Amino acid sequence: MGTKSRKKNNVNRKRNIYILGIGMGLLIGVVFGMASGSWIASILVCGLLGYGMGYAIEKTISG
């Protein structure tokens, strides 16, 4: 495996982890929004928390 494909895989992995974190955050935001009645605030807060979760996962994996 060459250096070029390793770099490409690292970029793709990082992007996928962030997408996964934000997606999970939005899903949780919808559930909390339905429960609380405040959709927009819940989705925004949980989306940001999902982004932070993606960042934490990426830093944990990459060391």
Side-chain angles (χ1 to χ4, degrees):
M1 215 169 150
T3 304
K4 191 173 188 178
S5 66
R6 270 193 301 244
K7 286 181 182 180
K8 185 177 178 183
N9 287 338
N10 285 340
V11 170
N12 287 339
R13 184 186 73 229
K14 187 175 184 178
R15 183 192 70 228
N16 290 341
I17 288 172
Y18 279 110
I19 290 172
L20 179 66
I22 292 170
M24 288 175 58
L26 292 177
L27 182 64
I28 292 169
V30 168
V31 171
F32 285 151
M34 289 172 60
S36 68
S38 176
W39 285 75
I40 296 172
S42 180
I43 289 174
L44 286 175
V45 168
C46 288
L48 289 173
L49 289 173
Y51 178 79
M53 183 172 53
Y55 178 80
I57 291 170
E58 193 271 325
K59 288 299 176 184
T60 301
I61 289 174
S62 67

